[in-house]
Amino acid sequence: MSDALATTPNTRIQEPLKFAYWVPNVSGGLVTSTIEQRTDWGFEYNKKLAQTAENNGFEYALSQIRYMASYGADHQHEATAFSLALGLATERLKVIAAVHPGLWEPSVLAKWVATADHLTNGRIAVNIVSGWLKAEFTAMGQPWLEHDERYRRSNEFIRVLREIWTSDGGAEFAGDFYRIRDFDLKPRPVDVPGRPHPEIFQGGNSTAARYNGGAVSDWYFSNGKDYDGFSEQVEEVLGHAKTAERLQPVRFGLNGFMIARDGEKEARDTLREIIEKANRPAVEGFRDAVQQAGSSTGDKRGMWADSSFEDLVQYNDGFKTQLIGTPEQIADRAIEYKRRGANLLLLGFLHFQEEVEHFGAKVLPIIREKEAELAAREPQLTTV
């Protein structure tokens, strides 16, 4: 374990690390490769997977959003409908639906979430995706904004959601992108202890995304990162949070593709096969499309700005987190990420059903043992 940090920046070090999984609601699995993937994008498979996940240590399930066939995802189910269906098929799992500002109005989404929250007894959350796939917006006749403008729109979108969900009486907001006047939402979302409103996740690695993470989001989702890359993001986001008017401290989620095997060589061989069998045209097309993301920013910092071809085979840089090896090795990395500020790990797998079960049986118990040791070593920090 690294000793680079004198103490942990994680103010919730005493709390168990949370786990989410990527819902495979698009075809092609979570890697753009011709390797066998015993994973299916259909509802019956996903219904069983959600039930398996909530019984194997997973608290959240994130349904990804694509609207058109692209880069290996030839078919896809819409995220909000799919998330609600999975919520109704489970008892404890919290479902996160990815949504795009510009394709949703925040007041309409606020109403949808309130209804879905009642149907699931308080288990709905949203992931605000500012957008990277220009072709989808233009195909639907929607304007494509410059990168930082997309994040400025997302900032307002999140603030409108929070205003509608928490205001006493009619909600009011006047911004550059959204205006609401005397909007009275009834019923409101479910009153869940410790939750001022349904959770708002937000992804991105850019300077603009980090600002939003500290200023307005409940959760900041990072693409896959090594230790130092993740720590750098945590520090910057926390800096923005110190000057923001927040209802709760920001929390951090990190993407990772997990390959847990009995031996490290077996795990590394699986990774090597995934990359060797990459669907090269699809990965190259994806690389071209994501030039609208981090590479388009003035400082060239953000999602996929420094991703190699091999990284992009897992389209959220999940290999960079290096959750690859034996259960013991993976547990050590998970604990180090927790020490550096991670409150949640968002996981993808090659064969979801089998590997989610394996995670619950073999990996999670070791993580729980090691984080108990970590909590005993680290001081309890004051939440800011």
Side-chain angles (χ1 to χ4, degrees):
M1 183 174 292
S2 170
D3 293 322
L5 299 176
T7 187
T8 175
N10 193 339
T11 60
R12 288 179 167 83
I13 201 68
Q14 304 293 329
E15 295 181 8
L17 189 62
K18 299 178 186 295
F19 296 93
Y21 74 93
W22 284 100
V23 174
N25 59 304
V26 305
S27 61
L30 265 287
V31 292
T32 309
S33 173
T34 60
I35 191 173
E36 180 193 14
Q37 298 184 65
R38 294 189 294 277
T39 293
D40 187 80
W41 65 289
F43 178 66
E44 288 304 319
Y45 177 92
N46 274 281
K47 176 181 176 181
K48 180 181 178 182
L49 175 61
Q51 294 165 347
T52 299
E54 71 174 354
N55 291 320
N56 281 276
F58 286 87
E59 188 169 334
Y60 296 90
L62 170 59
S63 294
Q64 55 195 304
I65 186 62
R66 293 198 198 180
Y67 290 95
M68 301 193 314
S70 58
Y71 317 120
D74 293 330
H75 296 81
Q76 51 283 315
H77 288 299
E78 193 275 329
T80 58
F82 213 71
S83 291
L84 178 56
L86 295 181
L88 295 175
T90 53
E91 297 178 355
R92 302 176 306 280
L93 193 69
K94 298 174 184 177
V95 289
I96 312 168
V99 296
H100 282 102
L103 304 181
W104 279 86
E105 283 294 322
S107 52
V108 175
L109 181 65
K111 183 66 175 179
W112 182 92
V113 169
T115 297
D117 208 43
H118 279 267
L119 294 176
T120 60
N121 194 28
R123 293 186 288 121
I124 288 288
V126 291
N127 182 39
I128 305 304
V129 184
S130 296
W132 58 268
L133 186 50
K134 180 179 179 180
E136 288 190 332
F137 279 74
T138 57
M140 290 185 275
Q142 299 299 315
W144 179 249
L145 304 183
E146 182 271 334
H147 178 277
D148 286 2
E149 285 294 279
R150 298 198 299 273
Y151 278 89
R152 204 162 67 84
R153 177 172 62 186
S154 292
N155 182 293
E156 285 194 8
F157 192 96
I158 292 170
R159 288 157 56 200
V160 173
L161 288 178
R162 183 171 287 119
E163 168 69 12
I164 291 173
W165 288 333
T166 63
S167 65
D168 293 325
E172 302 278 345
F173 186 91
D176 293 336
F177 299 95
Y178 302 107
R179 291 176 178 267
I180 58 170
R181 183 176 180 181
D182 196 26
F183 189 94
D184 192 11
L185 180 69
K186 292 179 181 177
R188 298 211 182 166
V190 176
D191 185 8
V192 176
R195 188 194 77 164
H197 53 70
E199 291 171 293
I200 300 172
F201 293 75
Q202 174 246 315
N205 290 359
S206 66
T207 298
R210 297 176 195 201
Y211 173 76
N212 281 358
V216 296
S217 305
D218 299 319
W219 287 87
Y220 174 81
F221 262 149
S222 171
N223 260 20
K225 286 288 182 182
D226 62 15
Y227 291 148
D228 290 342
F230 180 66
S231 290
E232 186 251 342
Q233 290 188 83
V234 169
E235 181 179 1
E236 186 170 338
V237 172
L238 287 177
H240 293 306
K242 288 179 180 178
T243 59
E245 296 182 4
R246 300 187 56 88
L247 298 177
Q248 289 185 326
V250 62
R251 289 175 284 178
F252 295 90
L254 174 66
N255 179 60
F257 189 85
M258 183 174 291
I259 306 175
R261 301 293 187 266
D262 292 338
E264 182 179 9
K265 182 180 184 302
E266 182 184 359
R268 293 289 167 186
D269 285 346
T270 299
L271 174 61
R272 187 176 304 110
E273 185 181 0
I274 291 171
I275 294 172
E276 287 176 351
K277 293 182 177 179
N279 181 338
R280 185 165 290 274
V283 177
E284 293 287 2
F286 180 73
R287 180 160 61 180
D288 291 342
V290 300
Q291 296 303 306
Q292 298 286 334
S295 296
S296 70
T297 61
D299 56 13
K300 303 299 181 184
R301 183 172 71 161
M303 291 176 68
W304 305 296
D306 60 351
S307 301
S308 67
F309 176 91
E310 290 76 12
D311 294 327
L312 294 175
V313 175
Q314 203 294 301
Y315 42 81
N316 282 99
D317 283 342
F319 300 150
K320 288 184 177 181
T321 309
Q322 287 294 299
L323 299 177
I324 299 164
T326 65
E328 181 89 13
Q329 290 171 321
I330 289 172
D332 281 338
R333 289 196 69 85
I335 294 303
E336 180 63 6
Y337 279 116
K338 180 179 181 180
R339 195 166 77 96
R340 290 170 178 264
N343 307 108
L344 177 150
L345 294 181
L346 171 60
L347 304 178
F349 302 92
L350 189 63
H351 310 303
F352 268 81
Q353 184 70 38
E354 301 95 316
E355 295 193 48
V356 163
E357 292 177 352
H358 185 259
F359 169 83
K362 301 296 184 181
V363 182
L364 184 59
I366 302 176
I367 291 176
R368 295 300 184 221
E369 290 176 6
K370 289 179 180 290
E371 67 179 349
E373 297 170 0
L374 174 66
R377 289 196 309 270
E378 294 285 357
Q380 178 67 53
L381 302 181
T382 302
T383 300
V384 294

